[in-house]
Amino acid sequence: MDAAEARRHRDLVADIHRDAYADRIAAGEEFDSEQAFMTRFEAYTSRHGFDLILAYCDDTPVGQIWGWPLPVQNRWWEGLESEPEPGFTREDGSRTFALSEIMVRPAWRGQGIAHALHDTLLADRTEQRATLLVRPDNTIAYTAYTRWGWRKAARLRPGWSGAPLMDVLILPFPLRS
């Protein structure tokens, strides 16, 4: 789905998030709240080239993933602790695809749905690389990402209110998972 279509599915996006992140939401951290998540969703769906994929099992929505290509002027790299190499943050609109969210509802985890979403979203990308942010203590996601070919490049604290320190992972294209 493009950005306009994704916005029309806003309630479904919120439902999947609410189920997939119930524990984090219940913990009460500002960054993890449903309101903060949906504020980010609204901002992300204003990005040129935004893509959302929903996964279904029969008629039940069970997961989602989205991202967009980073434009020349962007805020993605703001909060980077240090640039791992000269030019690392230079964007030209076709260099880096930002994978922003991937989530699967708990009852459907462990069935390869996240990996299928990941590969489907990234399969036909024309950028040179993809990037994502992951909490260093999210060992389940971190293990999956490294198994799929992602490598740590840096650390970053996003500019969103209450955002935690994240590891920046990079995946060179073409996709190899």
Side-chain angles (χ1 to χ4, degrees):
M1 295 180 205
D2 65 13
E5 198 171 356
R7 283 189 295 274
R8 287 193 292 274
H9 288 83
R10 183 183 196 286
D11 291 342
L12 179 55
V13 166
D15 288 345
I16 294 170
H17 169 261
R18 191 177 309 111
D19 192 16
Y21 286 94
D23 292 342
R24 286 203 184 267
I25 293 167
E29 295 292 326
E30 176 187 4
F31 184 78
D32 296 319
S33 74
E34 184 176 348
Q35 180 180 355
F37 175 80
M38 292 312 294
T39 297
R40 292 191 303 272
F41 175 75
E42 293 300 326
Y44 299 153
T45 57
S46 70
R47 308 294 198 264
H48 175 74
F50 179 92
D51 279 326
L52 164 72
I53 297 173
L54 296 171
Y56 285 83
C57 184
D58 298 319
D59 292 332
T60 304
V62 299
Q64 58 192 355
I65 188 171
W66 68 71
W68 62 89
L70 294 178
V72 174
Q73 299 296 321
N74 70 81
R75 298 182 62 189
W76 183 269
W77 302 117
E78 289 179 13
L80 197 64
E81 285 187 336
S82 63
E83 196 165 358
E85 61 192 49
F88 180 81
T89 62
R90 179 193 48 78
E91 298 299 341
D92 61 11
S94 63
R95 181 180 188 205
T96 307
F97 183 81
L99 192 163
S100 179
E101 294 290 341
I102 182 171
M103 63 190 75
V104 175
R105 289 180 153 166
W108 288 272
R109 290 181 185 153
Q111 299 178 38
I113 294 169
H115 196 186
L117 282 166
H118 171 271
D119 287 359
T120 301
L121 181 67
L122 299 179
D124 297 322
R125 301 304 320 170
T126 59
E127 294 83 9
Q128 297 172 27
R129 65 186 185 175
T131 186
L132 62 76
L133 306 177
V134 62
R135 293 174 194 239
D137 63 350
N138 186 345
T139 56
I140 292 172
Y142 219 118
T143 300
Y145 295 141
T146 55
R147 193 173 54 247
W148 301 341
W150 294 84
R151 297 293 172 253
K152 180 180 175 183
R155 295 192 91 185
L156 179 149
R157 184 176 310 276
W160 296 101
S161 181
L165 187 62
M166 306 271 213
D167 281 354
V168 176
L169 303 187
I170 296 291
L171 177 68
F173 289 145
L175 179 62
R176 292 178 188 88
S177 64

